Amino acid sequence: MKRILLIITLVLISSCKSENKNDKSLTTELQEPISEIPQVNDQFQAFIDQFPTKTLPIKINGCTDEILDLPKLDIKLSSEYTKDAEYEHIYGKIPTNGNYISTITLGEADCFVPILNTYKLNGEKIDSKPINIGYCGPDPCYECVENMTIDSEYRIYVADTIKTSDCDDNFNAIAGTEKIKVVYKEGKLTKKGVIKLTNKIVKNIK
């Protein structure tokens, strides 16, 4: 009788160990991390491949001749990812500070408008904003310099430096009547790909 009880006890202990082992295996399996980063799809990759890689910091003057010959976006590749593909030129893809992709295009205007775009890795758009002030352009007795910068810390600064003068009858600037001001915005590109910008700020120089 004692022998039978001993055998039953050993069987029960063995069974409990087996169940505990299975429970631990199941728990470990359930706790394995699941990647939340979507994979880049082929269509989106073809769109991104249009952009040369740029390094930070970058500085763009939309009024300079050096960017006039930049190629336009391929409409077939780009229409799903930007609404004005037929009017945008390719500038580049910049490194990011998170799990997203960021590109810069240049919209057509009197001076090119830098447009910063951010996408999830599957091509879904996160954010898109024109990074400009918009005061530069041809006008008598009017001078304007436009600059947009994104530094290595993902801080954004865009400014139009504007010089105006009174005009004579021939639309020439009258010496001594100059006024100079800077209109600017500041901001940053967050780790989630969100583009944050202040409202326009005016600083009178003269």
Side-chain angles (χ1 to χ4, degrees), residues 141 143 163-168 172-180 206:
C141 308
E143 298 176 31
K163 177 182 175 182
T164 58
S165 303
D166 294 337
C167 291
D168 63 19
N172 296 312
I174 299 173
T177 63
E178 300 90 354
K179 293 179 182 179
I180 301 172
K206 181 180 178 181

Short mmCIF file of all heavy atoms in Angstrom, two decimals, residues 141 143 163-168 172-180 206:
data_model
loop_
_atom_site.label_atom_id
_atom_site.label_comp_id
_atom_site.label_asym_id
_atom_site.label_seq_id
_atom_site.Cartn_x
_atom_site.Cartn_y
_atom_site.Cartn_z
N CYS A 141 11.99 99.72 -55.30
CA CYS A 141 12.42 100.26 -54.00
C CYS A 141 12.21 99.26 -52.87
O CYS A 141 11.90 99.64 -51.72
CB CYS A 141 11.69 101.57 -53.69
SG CYS A 141 11.80 102.77 -55.04
N GLU A 143 13.80 95.49 -51.32
CA GLU A 143 14.77 94.39 -51.36
C GLU A 143 14.43 93.40 -50.24
O GLU A 143 14.00 93.80 -49.16
CB GLU A 143 16.20 94.92 -51.15
CG GLU A 143 16.67 95.89 -52.22
CD GLU A 143 18.06 96.44 -51.91
OE1 GLU A 143 18.86 95.73 -51.28
OE2 GLU A 143 18.32 97.60 -52.27
N LYS A 163 14.16 95.37 -46.85
CA LYS A 163 14.60 96.77 -46.91
C LYS A 163 13.68 97.51 -47.88
O LYS A 163 13.55 97.14 -49.05
CB LYS A 163 16.04 96.85 -47.41
CG LYS A 163 16.56 98.26 -47.57
CD LYS A 163 18.01 98.24 -48.12
CE LYS A 163 18.51 99.63 -48.41
NZ LYS A 163 19.90 99.61 -48.98
N THR A 164 13.02 98.56 -47.38
CA THR A 164 12.13 99.36 -48.23
C THR A 164 12.62 100.82 -48.24
O THR A 164 13.24 101.28 -47.27
CB THR A 164 10.68 99.33 -47.71
OG1 THR A 164 10.65 99.81 -46.36
CG2 THR A 164 10.11 97.93 -47.77
N SER A 165 12.35 101.48 -49.35
CA SER A 165 12.73 102.89 -49.49
C SER A 165 11.61 103.62 -50.21
O SER A 165 10.79 103.02 -50.91
CB SER A 165 14.03 103.04 -50.29
OG SER A 165 15.09 102.32 -49.71
N ASP A 166 11.59 104.93 -50.04
CA ASP A 166 10.70 105.75 -50.87
C ASP A 166 11.25 105.77 -52.29
O ASP A 166 12.47 105.69 -52.50
CB ASP A 166 10.61 107.17 -50.32
CG ASP A 166 9.94 107.22 -48.95
OD1 ASP A 166 9.18 106.28 -48.63
OD2 ASP A 166 10.21 108.19 -48.20
N CYS A 167 10.36 105.90 -53.26
CA CYS A 167 10.78 105.91 -54.67
C CYS A 167 10.66 107.33 -55.25
O CYS A 167 9.76 108.10 -54.87
CB CYS A 167 9.88 105.00 -55.49
SG CYS A 167 10.07 103.24 -55.15
N ASP A 168 11.56 107.64 -56.19
CA ASP A 168 11.41 108.89 -56.94
C ASP A 168 10.48 108.63 -58.12
O ASP A 168 9.89 107.55 -58.25
CB ASP A 168 12.77 109.45 -57.38
CG ASP A 168 13.52 108.53 -58.33
OD1 ASP A 168 12.88 107.63 -58.94
OD2 ASP A 168 14.76 108.69 -58.46
N ASN A 172 13.20 104.83 -58.56
CA ASN A 172 14.50 104.55 -57.96
C ASN A 172 14.43 104.88 -56.47
O ASN A 172 13.74 105.82 -56.05
CB ASN A 172 15.60 105.39 -58.62
CG ASN A 172 15.78 105.04 -60.09
OD1 ASN A 172 15.86 103.87 -60.45
ND2 ASN A 172 15.83 106.07 -60.95
N ALA A 173 15.16 104.09 -55.66
CA ALA A 173 15.15 104.30 -54.22
C ALA A 173 15.78 105.64 -53.86
O ALA A 173 16.83 106.02 -54.41
CB ALA A 173 15.89 103.17 -53.53
N ILE A 174 15.17 106.39 -52.96
CA ILE A 174 15.69 107.67 -52.51
C ILE A 174 16.59 107.41 -51.30
O ILE A 174 16.16 106.83 -50.29
CB ILE A 174 14.55 108.63 -52.13
CG1 ILE A 174 13.66 108.89 -53.36
CG2 ILE A 174 15.11 109.94 -51.57
CD1 ILE A 174 12.41 109.70 -53.04
N ALA A 175 17.86 107.83 -51.42
CA ALA A 175 18.83 107.60 -50.34
C ALA A 175 18.37 108.25 -49.04
O ALA A 175 17.81 109.36 -49.04
CB ALA A 175 20.20 108.15 -50.75
N GLY A 176 18.60 107.58 -47.96
CA GLY A 176 18.25 108.11 -46.64
C GLY A 176 16.84 107.80 -46.19
O GLY A 176 16.45 108.18 -45.08
N THR A 177 16.07 107.12 -47.03
CA THR A 177 14.68 106.80 -46.64
C THR A 177 14.51 105.31 -46.31
O THR A 177 13.39 104.83 -46.17
CB THR A 177 13.70 107.17 -47.77
OG1 THR A 177 13.99 106.37 -48.94
CG2 THR A 177 13.82 108.64 -48.14
N GLU A 178 15.64 104.62 -46.20
CA GLU A 178 15.56 103.17 -46.02
C GLU A 178 14.96 102.77 -44.66
O GLU A 178 15.21 103.41 -43.64
CB GLU A 178 16.96 102.53 -46.13
CG GLU A 178 17.67 102.74 -47.45
CD GLU A 178 18.51 104.02 -47.45
OE1 GLU A 178 18.46 104.79 -46.45
OE2 GLU A 178 19.20 104.26 -48.45
N LYS A 179 14.19 101.73 -44.70
CA LYS A 179 13.69 101.08 -43.48
C LYS A 179 13.99 99.59 -43.61
O LYS A 179 13.78 99.00 -44.66
CB LYS A 179 12.18 101.30 -43.32
CG LYS A 179 11.80 102.75 -43.05
CD LYS A 179 10.30 102.90 -42.92
CE LYS A 179 9.92 104.36 -42.70
NZ LYS A 179 8.44 104.54 -42.59
N ILE A 180 14.49 99.01 -42.52
CA ILE A 180 14.87 97.60 -42.54
C ILE A 180 14.19 96.87 -41.39
O ILE A 180 14.17 97.37 -40.25
CB ILE A 180 16.41 97.42 -42.43
CG1 ILE A 180 17.10 98.14 -43.59
CG2 ILE A 180 16.78 95.94 -42.44
CD1 ILE A 180 18.62 98.18 -43.45
N LYS A 206 15.89 99.22 -38.57
CA LYS A 206 16.15 100.63 -38.88
C LYS A 206 14.85 101.31 -39.30
O LYS A 206 14.06 100.75 -40.05
CB LYS A 206 17.18 100.72 -40.02
CG LYS A 206 17.55 102.15 -40.41
CD LYS A 206 18.58 102.13 -41.53
CE LYS A 206 18.93 103.53 -41.97
NZ LYS A 206 19.91 103.57 -43.06
#
